[in-house]
Amino acid sequence: MNENEEFNKYVDNFKKLSTGRKKEETIKQMKKMLAFIWALKEKTGIPFSVLYNREIIDAKDKTVSEDDFVEAVFVYIHIIKEAFAEYVDCTIGKEEL
Amino acid sequence: METEYEKLKKEGYTEEEIETKLGPMSRLSIDSSPMGQGRNDRSVTFTDKDGTVSRGSNIMVGYNRRNIQLPNGTYVGIEEFSRAMTKFLQEDAENKVIFCKKTGKRVNIGELVNGLREVAKSQTGLELHGTTDKMRGNAYEYSIKGESARRILLGKKIQLDCGQWVSEEELLNAMRDYVYLSAPDKTPPVPKPDSDQAGISLEPGSDKTGIEPEPNNTRVDNQEIEDVTTTEHVNKRRKAKIAPIILATLLTATILLSMIGKRADNIMATRTETTATAGAAITEVVEYREDRYEEAINNVLNSVQGSAVGDTISVPPGVIYFYASPNNDISKSRTGIIGETPERPAGEYEIFGVSVLDKSGERILDTEFEKGTTIADVVQRACENQNIDLDQTSLRISLTNTGWIEMNDLVKKVLENEEITPDDVVTAYHSEQTYDAVQEDFTDSVTFKTESGEATIKVRNDDGSLVETGTILEGSDGKLYRLDDVEVEQKDTVTSYVERTEEKRTFSVSNIEGNIEIAEVSLFVTALATALAAIYDKRREEEYEKSAKKYDNNTKFNETVTHMSTASTKAGLNNGNNENADTSEYTGGPRL
């Protein structure tokens, strides 16, 4: 089974979860991504400069509402986007891009 | 035709009893007179306040697929009954007291009248709506328990009150639950008679009024009331008017009590297991068109055929009449058109005679001029004598001082007058074979096997009620089915620890090609479903975690993270498989 087939199966099983669990898993995956970037920054000595918005607090509960969930995802994406861009800026530099 | 008076006389009623029995009220007597196989039409005789008796047209319940109940018997109008009651109390009931036999309590007259209204609402069999614009003369529209107002032709001289009409028998039966006493009178009770007859109240002002309440004390013990009541059954038919009203109160009370009981059941139901069984019959429809036109024709035909020589019928404008006798070639006769001259206006005409001819209209099969003979009887007699079917005949009716009219022309003009055209034809052709099925886990649809596979039809409306019988439904196989019957039986079983609802429904399904198939399915909703849901949730979670682990282990993301973790244990990252992964585990980052 190739990677994409595994991924498809993984997504299929994700689809069978309850909506609450799907939200939980989605937030978890974004946190992993964020942690990864921060780890990279740590290893390369890049200081933290984190965006923050209190909307992500609402996503901690499994029974988060649709509105709160979407707002939290929106905030996470921006945090990840900014953190990654900062990492790229500090490691490769704008001139090399 | 035997009148109500003759009938009662034959049964041994005295003149006084007959007067009381008939009273000054109008009555409407319904007798069974089926117009054909599977139909449920009723012949009707009217008696007005003056005692004039007339045979009207039939009440049409038709094929009665909705199973409208209209028992035979005599019906009286509630409004007229109320007036008679009031009049009686004012004129005859002075110094009288009415007691409820069951409670021993005095009954207030106002309560009685209000109770009567309540009974009328629940017991009404028939409602007359008055004359219609389209049918001049004595034609009333009527409805049976709120179902489909139709038209009935009354005799020429009959005028009836519009409104609700209820069964006289029901009202008379109720009289047995009450006593009616003269106020202070020390006369001893009337001995109990041998015979048991309908009726209850005492003779007003009579010495035979039996037990009465002591002055200023209206309470009577149950035994006394029972005795008096039994006594009153005997001779007091004359006061029949009062009892139904009293009955109303009783019935109202009964209804209230039953409602209270129901409420208690509902409370129990919170801990009750419900099992429902439903039976249904479904017929596949081969072709479907609405049949208002055919029904309208039948209604006119039946109305006319229910009339008798001497009765009046309503003749709409445009009907052609002939001066010739029915055995002449009417095409060469002098003719006229109803409604075109002041001498022959549209409206009521007396039936002078009737002639049944063969289908071509050239040969007379039977003729009748004797008053009281119904047209239906003449037609039936002609068919039997000639050994032919009804559709091989034609009919002509002689109108007094006018001439002959043809039945076909009359029907045609009535339909034109009511603006019913052949375009309104609606017919459902269907097969007669049926499928029977029992299905559990019923929500709103039932699936049944056909020769060509399976079909599903939805038999529950969006509001939760079952679809009415006779409704045409589209099956999942694209075919049309008629729901002939649905029957639901629900059983409650009390449980103290498990609340479960089980619905089991039985359906009978018919299909043009089908054989009878029976399928049984059982459905449990609530506890069982909840338990299964929990099991399924756990399985789904396990499968997800398994596939997530399998996928993540081979991703470049995980490979990189693992490498970083190995290179620096202080990085604080998970290897991606830790379901508790969180940015907070990264010691250098913020907690999110």
Side-chain angles (χ1 to χ4, degrees), chain A residues 6-7 10 13-14 16-17 21 25 28 31-32 34-36 38-40 42-43 48 52 56 60 76, chain B residues 540-541 543-545 547-548 550-552 560-561 564 568 573 576 579 581-583 586 588 590 592:
Chain A
E6 288 289 359
F7 182 63
Y10 172 48
N13 285 326
F14 173 78
K16 292 175 187 172
L17 295 177
R21 282 285 294 121
E25 279 301 303
K28 194 169 89 176
K31 285 180 177 178
K32 279 185 182 179
L34 199 51
F36 177 60
W38 283 337
L40 288 176
E42 167 78 9
K43 284 184 75 71
F48 283 104
Y52 183 78
I56 59 174
K60 289 184 181 300
Y76 268 117
Chain B
R540 289 191 194 104
E541 188 68 35
E543 283 174 8
Y544 170 74
E545 292 297 341
S547 60
K550 199 169 182 182
Y551 168 72
D552 257 352
T560 307
V561 169
M564 287 172 65
S568 174
L573 281 172
E579 64 181 18
D582 192 287
T583 53
Y586 174 54
L592 292 178

